[in-house]
Amino acid sequence: MSLKEKIRQEMPCQDPQVRRANFDEVALGYTEEQAVKEAARCIQCKKPKCREGCPVEVLIPDFIKAVAERDFAGAAVKLKEKNALPAICGRVCPQESQCEEKCILGIKSEPVAIGRLERFVADWEMAQGASATEAAPAKGAKVAVIGAGPAGLTCAAELAKLGYAVTVFEALHTAGGVLMYGIPEFRLPKAIVDKEIANLRQLGVELQFNVVIGPSMTVEELMNEQGYAAVFLGTGAGLPNFMGIPGENLCGVFSANEFLTRTNLMKGFRFPEYGTPVKLGRKVAVLGAGNVAMDAARTAVRLGAEEVTIVYRRSDKEMPARAEEIEHAREEGVQFKLLTNPVEIIGDENGWVKAMKCLRYELGEPDASGRRKPVAIPGSEFVMDMDTVIVAIGTGPNPLATKSTAGLELNRRGNIVADEEGRTSIPGVFAGGDIVTGAATVILAMGAGKKAAQAIDAYITAKAAEAAN
């Protein structure tokens, strides 16, 4: 292998000054030549550690070997044996802390760009207009999946491949969950999500929209009256958290959920074509430093805000967002006010945000998360002029489905208590994703959906065997 081939292939991207004014995808994807060169870097370990870091157990060395041999169709088959949504995962999965972190090549060099290769293969297959997945013969049992987010869609796909008749019930008017309402177009084009969902329909998965489990129908009704052999709850964590400080009810204060939903799902970025404008002021503060905060900040830049600032109470080393997202935000002009936390949002005489009172912080000893605990510096108050504040400090579970399900055990935060395979306190009812773990990553939710599908199959098979005896 030449020295040139040892160097990790860079991802082509839009120029920062161009992309900050549009919602087109930032990362442009590998060319065929780049993909083949990157795949050739894989040393095909006898005991590949990369698979250990993948929540859905993708056959990583196998699909990469096929790419290196220019067998892109074969790579797609291998990839989709384990992953129902590869074009999505290749874009938003934090590979650097999962499969790529385990890559042996990364010990002395840069790891193989597994995620970028995954995206390349999935995009190549989509361009051919074909799907590499087939369903098994029908088993004669039906399963209800509540929520069409990453966990629910993965669970549905796995069950359909096993031969079950699967119906997905979604509260919104479209499938995708956070993939549609939360992640911006410039990071995950909605056409990609639509194509992945079309593949699920090809498997026979039925999607029913505008159905809110709880008010519309209950889990008990699905099982006892509509004949579903099992139910999977994948309703996510879509209830936004707030800081609990004075002024959060002022006009000009958004939760990141509302801000991103209005921009992404309701197409606020395409006003006036869509009648859903998002009103931003000249100066925007985004509270928090996770991926959602970066998405909100970068969206605000594209919507025309002149000055966008991430306000975070720890230092840059503790920021939980992906390094790539932080880098992109900085390239696009987002400012960072670190070791700072707001204590009050100040309004004008008309009830609109005009400023934000903050405290400066320093870092103390590590807390339970392993990050150094922020400690307020007495007497360090100062005021930042601000027109809009977006709160991106996490989310919790929506209680509509859980509170209407008698006998379903919840923890103190309202998350469903489930074991590693997704079994809940109610026989035949399974759960996974953010509704169990709290807000986490797309790939972890997918992994939970996959495990639950296997457990559901085992449960229904065992019940059928009991009935036959």
Side-chain angles (χ1 to χ4, degrees):
M1 186 184 292
S2 69
L3 178 62
K4 185 176 180 181
E5 289 172 322
K6 289 181 181 178
I7 299 172
R8 180 175 166 121
Q9 294 293 306
E10 290 295 321
M11 173 64 85
C13 291
Q14 283 194 73
D15 179 87
Q17 294 309 308
V18 174
R19 72 187 191 228
R20 72 192 307 273
N22 67 56
F23 277 81
D24 297 336
E25 189 167 13
V26 169
L28 303 176
Y30 277 167
T31 64
E32 287 192 10
E33 290 306 313
Q34 281 184 300
V36 171
K37 285 181 180 179
E38 185 61 30
R41 296 180 63 235
C42 178
I43 59 178
Q44 293 292 316
C45 305
K46 290 183 179 179
K47 295 182 179 180
K49 297 287 187 182
C50 53
R51 286 200 67 201
E52 296 176 9
C54 179
V56 295
E57 302 175 325
V58 166
L59 302 172
I60 295 171
D62 297 9
F63 97 79
I64 288 180
K65 183 174 185 291
V67 173
E69 296 170 350
R70 293 184 182 273
D71 179 12
F72 304 139
V77 171
K78 286 295 181 184
L79 184 57
K80 296 185 83 171
E81 277 186 37
K82 300 290 185 178
N83 189 347
L85 307 170
I88 292 169
C89 288
R91 288 169 164 82
V92 303
C93 179
Q95 294 93 1
E96 68 277 4
S97 61
Q98 294 179 334
C99 54
E100 292 179 14
E101 186 179 55
K102 302 281 187 180
C103 177
I104 298 299
L105 202 63
I107 296 174
K108 293 185 177 180
S109 180
E110 288 188 287
V112 175
I114 298 168
R116 294 172 181 178
L117 290 174
E118 181 179 34
R119 169 185 166 163
F120 168 80
V121 171
D123 286 358
W124 181 91
E125 189 204 25
M126 282 184 177
Q128 313 311 306
S131 174
T133 308
E134 294 183 3
K139 287 195 172 184
K142 61 181 189 176
V143 179
V145 172
I146 314 304
L153 293 176
T154 302
C155 185
E158 295 299 319
L159 288 168
K161 285 191 285 186
L162 290 169
Y164 291 98
V166 183
T167 302
V168 179
F169 297 94
E170 168 56 44
L172 296 175
H173 61 278
T174 189
V178 70
L179 305 173
M180 293 298 278
Y181 73 74
I183 302 176
E185 183 80 12
F186 56 80
R187 204 152 70 82
L188 178 62
K190 303 313 161 214
I192 295 293
V193 182
D194 288 338
K195 287 178 181 178
E196 294 278 45
I197 292 167
N199 289 339
L200 298 189
R201 291 183 189 274
Q202 288 181 17
L203 286 170
V205 173
E206 180 187 355
L207 294 163
Q208 291 192 21
F209 301 121
N210 303 308
V211 180
V212 182
I213 298 300
S216 300
M217 64 183 77
T218 65
V219 170
E220 185 179 19
E221 288 170 346
L222 287 170
M223 298 183 75
N224 296 340
E225 298 177 18
Q226 298 194 31
Y228 287 95
V231 173
F232 175 78
L233 290 166
T235 51
L239 197 65
N241 295 332
F242 284 90
M243 302 224 16
I245 60 176
E248 281 187 309
N249 61 340
L250 289 167
C251 297
V253 178
F254 295 88
S255 70
N257 269 37
E258 178 192 356
F259 176 68
L260 292 171
T261 297
R262 290 175 64 173
T263 306
N264 301 327
L265 185 65
M266 299 173 70
K267 308 295 185 187
F269 72 98
R270 289 170 62 177
F271 178 79
E273 179 184 354
Y274 286 78
T276 51
V278 180
K279 183 178 179 180
L280 289 182
R282 191 173 66 84
K283 294 185 176 183
V284 176
V286 179
L287 313 184
N291 289 324
V292 173
M294 299 305 149
D295 286 344
R298 297 173 67 196
T299 296
V301 167
R302 285 161 172 78
L303 289 176
E306 295 179 21
E307 186 178 305
V308 180
T309 305
I310 290 282
V311 179
Y312 181 55
R313 62 181 184 157
R314 290 182 165 97
S315 75
D316 54 356
K317 292 181 180 179
E318 288 79 31
M319 288 194 289
R322 296 181 68 185
E324 180 179 77
E325 301 308 317
I326 296 169
E327 179 185 359
H328 283 170
R330 285 194 161 119
E331 288 174 349
E332 292 165 10
V334 174
Q335 301 177 29
F336 287 74
K337 193 75 172 176
L338 305 178
L339 293 169
T340 300
N341 208 37
V343 293
E344 182 184 357
I345 302 170
I346 302 167
D348 63 17
E349 64 277 7
N350 296 314
W352 286 85
V353 173
K354 73 171 186 178
M356 193 167 67
K357 184 186 292 186
C358 300
L359 271 176
R360 290 189 172 88
Y361 278 66
E362 59 187 1
L363 294 180
E365 296 300 314
D367 60 15
S369 71
R371 296 178 296 174
R372 292 176 66 189
K373 185 176 181 180
V375 179
I377 300 173
S380 63
E381 294 90 346
F382 68 101
V383 173
M384 298 174 66
D385 291 337
M386 207 59 62
D387 305 302
T388 304
V389 177
I390 301 169
V391 184
I393 59 170
T395 54
N398 190 309
L400 285 173
T402 56
K403 285 194 173 181
S404 68
T405 307
L408 185 64
E409 184 182 355
L410 308 177
N411 66 18
R412 63 182 180 83
R413 291 181 176 151
N415 297 99
I416 297 173
V417 175
D419 66 14
E420 288 294 317
E421 281 71 46
R423 300 179 191 87
T424 71
S425 55
I426 302 174
V429 178
F430 298 75
D434 291 359
I435 189 63
V436 173
T437 61
T441 63
V442 167
I443 192 66
L444 287 176
M446 290 176 61
K450 185 169 185 173
K451 285 183 179 179
Q454 295 164 353
I456 289 169
D457 178 43
Y459 169 79
I460 294 174
T461 301
K463 292 283 285 185
E466 286 177 17
N469 292 332

